[in-house]
Amino acid sequence: MKEAFRSFSPDSVRLLPGLFQQRFGLNRKYLMSLSNENLLQNHYLEAGLWHPRLDRTNIEDCHWGWESPTCQLRGHFLGHWLSAAARAYAATQDAEVKSKADRIVSELGRCQQENGGEWAGSIPEKYLDWVAGGKRVWAPHYTLHKTLMGLYDMFSFADNEQALDILVKWADWFHRWTGQFSREQMDDILDVETGGMLEVWANLYGVTQREEHLDLVRRYDRPRFFNRLLAGEDVLTNMHANTTIPEIHGAARAWEVTGEKRWREVVEAYWRLAVIERGFFCTGGQTCGEIWTPPGELSARLGDKNQEHCTVYNMMRLAEYLLRWTGEVSYADYWERNLYNGILAQQHPQTGMVAYFLPLQAGAAKLWSTPKESFWCCVGTLVQAHSLHGSNVYFEDDDGVVICQYIPTELTWQRSGVTVKVTHTIDAQTGEIRRPRCLALDLAVTCERPLEFTLKIRLPWWLGGQPVITVNGTREPLQSPPSSFCSIRRKWSSDRLHIELPKRLTSCPLPDDPDTVAFMDGPVVLAGLCDGERTLHGDKDNPETMLMPDNEREWAMWRTGYRTRNQERGLRFVPLYEICDERYTVYFPIRSVP
């Protein structure tokens, strides 16, 4: 299939010092803090290699929460861990991470042998038989998918051939097991949360091209869901969101490896229904209590369980598929909004732990996981999300390189046999007198020898004025509107670009309650530090009538806070992603001032 944008290999992009490198480092520290024995505990238990004391007075003896040996989802986190470690290694060539991950894969191979040479799960095979028989059990396919995907990622991103061998042998079990069921029986089985099983089999078929692996792709198809989606029905409202998003990942990957048009039509129909027609909160998230809200009806769904982290991460992954296929800038805009106001906002900036939900009710507080007693699904997507910060900054197209995100990084790239290096940093603008009202970027493009290509730069949706781009001090003529790509084609050698993207405070109203708004500073949602609902007075379309910069400078660093003006009581605002344990409010009723 032909992609508009192509991903660079993970080791082509290096994170430079800044916010995202710091969050990546927090994540690595957590990954490496967990012992192999505890990570593997449930796989060992299933293989008869571990006999726990289960003494909760010594927390180090066991992983608890959703990894407890009594939980039916036990073992899911190890798969997330392997996927995160594989991507972290691919991005950094960190030998310590790879050594630990390789050892874990080796132990999974040992468990597989103990189980008879095929099964490598952390739960018993009979859990799937229970589903087939109509007995209630908590999402065994979801749990198994995590280990299967972790194995695939270790092969794909960390060059571990044993991981592929384990995966192929385990696939033999699934091929035999699913072969006994009719299409209708499989549909009944797959109505119980399947996670990304379809994506795993599409990935495997993409590697092996074996007919039995294509069989698995077809058996894990979801016609009962996909056909209604294609027919234009609203099959999402009040449905568990993260049950379906990974299934759509599977359709996306099936399109890539088979070229069958229906798979892509399923993905496009889902995005249209889930995002374009439904709308989303200012943060980019769209769920409450893990279910999809009705299209455009968000005001009654502000609560303590908005925006499950898993849905944020998985919808961003879906946006990446669509961005690569189409090259449409809206998907990169969507990625950025969710990156700041979901992935960053739901990771504790000091401990690295995750908030399962991002509450959007007035006077909310984030509830953080613990290192060894939670292991919610969102702990798993947390460790994966923060291993990917370099992965969506740059793409290649037929004309050259595309810059989609503003993250300090260095790209090393081969084009037409010439080594090209793009160094991308944020200009701190410390020489300004007042807090700058633009995001300023510096790019250095260095080529082994002069080379002509096009550099495309995303102009974001939040632009508050005409951007300025200079190349070697000469201003480039720009005619591109917000939410588009501007293109600069020239023969590059050793060149310097300076980019200024003006930003402003904007109001983001609830679609069904336009007098209740959130405030955004560029792509960043601001949170008011208060413990309950507060009405503000001013022009809701002109936030500067209500907010002004606050505590804007500390040593050589610009700070990002605001405070209210012309209000009965003062109130401070900070970026939502900086909130730790403070009570906060995102949406405010606005009463106009005569």
Side-chain angles (χ1 to χ4, degrees), residues 345-575:
Q346 290 176 253
Q347 184 198 36
H348 195 291
Q350 279 86 49
T351 68
M353 295 294 97
V354 73
Y356 192 124
F357 298 110
L358 187 68
L360 294 177
Q361 66 182 11
K366 300 176 185 178
L367 175 64
W368 301 105
S369 63
T370 60
K372 296 181 180 179
E373 292 193 283
S374 302
F375 294 109
W376 311 317
C377 52
C378 295
V379 180
T381 51
L382 166 91
V383 297
Q384 289 187 251
H386 288 279
S387 66
L388 300 177
H389 288 321
S391 68
N392 271 260
V393 180
Y394 308 95
F395 292 89
E396 184 179 15
D397 68 3
D398 291 342
D399 298 321
V401 65
V402 186
I403 298 178
C404 285
Q405 302 299 331
Y406 319 118
I407 295 176
T409 42
E410 185 174 81
L411 167 69
T412 303
W413 172 46
Q414 287 285 323
R415 184 174 178 86
S416 302
V418 177
T419 301
V420 180
K421 185 173 287 186
V422 179
T423 305
H424 174 181
T425 55
I426 306 296
D427 181 354
Q429 305 176 83
T430 54
E432 298 291 327
I433 296 175
R434 297 179 181 85
R435 181 194 294 169
R437 295 305 303 146
C438 72
L439 174 64
L441 314 171
D442 288 314
L443 297 180
V445 181
T446 307
C447 302
E448 227 175 11
R449 58 178 183 272
L451 181 67
E452 184 176 356
F453 62 88
T454 300
L455 180 66
K456 293 181 181 175
I457 302 163
R458 178 174 66 94
L459 301 180
W461 68 272
W462 47 260
L463 276 177
Q466 182 64 30
V468 175
I469 299 180
T470 62
V471 180
N472 300 325
T474 301
R475 185 165 176 169
E476 289 286 316
L478 292 179
Q479 296 181 341
S480 304
S483 199
S484 68
F485 290 105
C486 69
S487 298
I488 303 173
R489 187 168 185 88
R490 59 181 283 132
K491 185 171 283 189
W492 303 91
S493 178
S494 181
D495 302 285
R496 299 290 183 271
L497 295 86
H498 182 73
I499 303 167
E500 294 183 0
L501 303 174
K503 61 179 181 173
R504 58 189 173 87
L505 286 174
T506 56
S507 297
C508 187
L510 289 167
D512 55 334
D513 185 4
D515 291 330
T516 299
V517 307
F519 300 109
M520 299 187 71
D521 184 6
V524 176
V525 171
L526 299 173
L529 299 178
C530 58
D531 60 4
E533 184 172 286
R534 186 85 67 86
T535 297
L536 299 181
H537 301 266
D539 179 355
K540 65 182 175 60
D541 298 319
N542 184 12
E544 283 83 0
T545 63
M546 295 171 278
L547 302 184
M548 62 185 293
D550 175 60
N551 190 25
E552 67 177 12
R553 183 84 176 208
E554 183 177 89
W555 310 119
M557 179 177 67
W558 292 108
R559 296 176 61 87
T560 51
Y562 289 84
R563 69 175 184 270
T564 53
R565 65 167 78 190
N566 304 321
Q567 307 299 315
E568 294 177 2
R569 297 171 58 196
L571 179 62
R572 293 180 57 239
F573 285 77
V574 298

